[in-house]
Amino acid sequence: MSSSSVDSSKPEFEGSVSGLSGRYASALFELMQEAPDTDQKDISNSMDVLSGLFGVDQSFGDMLVSPVISVEDKENSLVKIFSKASIGQTVTNFAVLVVKNRRSFLLQDICRAFKALEAKARGEMTAHVTTASKLSEQHENKLKQQLKNKFGQDISVIAEVDQTLLAGMIVRVGSRMIDDSLRTKLFTLKQAMNEAG
């Protein structure tokens, strides 16, 4: 599998595919592009499912970054989880390789970078959206339309869940941040009160 680097200076990616996670994502993306159409769809769908696992099950991400869980145990856990989640063999093999290389802590970033590469190939911008609970399909489609109206082009949404957010959402499109989270508003208010006191 190729591990050619990506030109992270390109503004379309805004650094999303830079570094080691970007190189892993680029390698999988190149592999997908060379595959038959049915395999391309399987890889893309499997990466969507893998990305979603981080949002619905915090223990999944915790397991991958844990220094006390052995590489072998992480591999075995991934294979079992991926089998139940209907993640295809190519992505399973890829994720196991990442774990074998002791880079399991990068898997979530690799997912983000991979989806950014897909969005770029479709001529879309990528929005990273963080919410306190999982976005419904209806809300995600409404958000996409609002972002399309704002930026004037199709937007691909990479949605993540951060249960520490009290409400609202944080949206990052490239270098632009749109923060509507209650946690941030409360923190800003607390800072203002401290300064006033």
Side-chain angles (χ1 to χ4, degrees), residues 4-181:
S4 57
S5 61
V6 175
D7 181 5
S8 59
S9 65
K10 293 182 180 179
E12 294 89 348
F13 295 120
E14 296 290 346
S16 297
V17 292
S18 62
L20 189 55
S21 59
R23 291 197 291 274
Y24 273 107
S26 297
L28 181 61
F29 186 74
E30 290 169 12
L31 179 68
M32 183 182 75
Q33 288 182 310
E34 295 167 2
D37 288 347
T38 53
D39 290 345
Q40 289 189 27
K41 187 173 183 180
D42 177 65
I43 292 171
S44 179
N45 290 343
S46 293
M47 288 299 283
D48 284 340
V49 175
L50 174 54
S51 181
L53 285 175
F54 289 98
V56 298
D57 188 354
Q58 185 176 341
S59 64
F60 176 71
D62 291 344
M63 180 268 294
L64 290 172
V65 301
S66 173
V68 299
I69 300 176
S70 71
V71 168
E72 184 178 355
D73 285 344
K74 287 179 182 179
E75 287 178 34
N76 292 334
S77 295
L78 277 188
V79 171
K80 288 178 184 176
I81 293 168
F82 285 13
S83 176
K84 291 179 181 178
S86 299
I87 291 177
Q89 195 61 49
T90 300
V91 171
T92 298
N93 292 344
F94 172 79
V96 167
L97 175 65
V98 173
V99 173
K100 282 183 182 294
N101 291 343
R102 301 182 182 277
R103 297 291 184 269
S104 58
F105 61 91
L106 289 176
L107 265 176
Q108 188 170 16
D109 286 339
I110 291 169
C111 287
R112 293 187 188 112
F114 182 86
K115 302 314 291 183
L117 286 167
E118 280 194 308
K120 170 58 181 171
R122 292 192 299 264
E124 299 174 350
M125 296 177 71
T126 303
H128 296 266
V129 181
T130 306
T131 52
S133 57
K134 193 176 188 302
L135 279 177
S136 68
E137 185 176 350
Q138 180 182 1
H139 286 143
E140 184 172 322
N141 289 336
K142 184 176 180 181
L143 176 62
K144 284 181 181 179
Q145 187 58 51
Q146 290 174 335
L147 291 171
K148 182 177 181 179
N149 294 341
K150 180 177 180 64
F151 292 100
Q153 69 180 93
D154 289 334
I155 302 287
S156 174
V157 169
I158 299 176
E160 297 177 5
V161 174
D162 180 353
Q163 295 176 349
T164 64
L165 293 179
L166 301 179
M169 67 176 63
I170 298 172
V171 180
R172 181 169 58 83
V173 181
S175 58
R176 303 186 191 187
M177 180 78 76
I178 305 166
D179 192 330
D180 186 36
S181 72

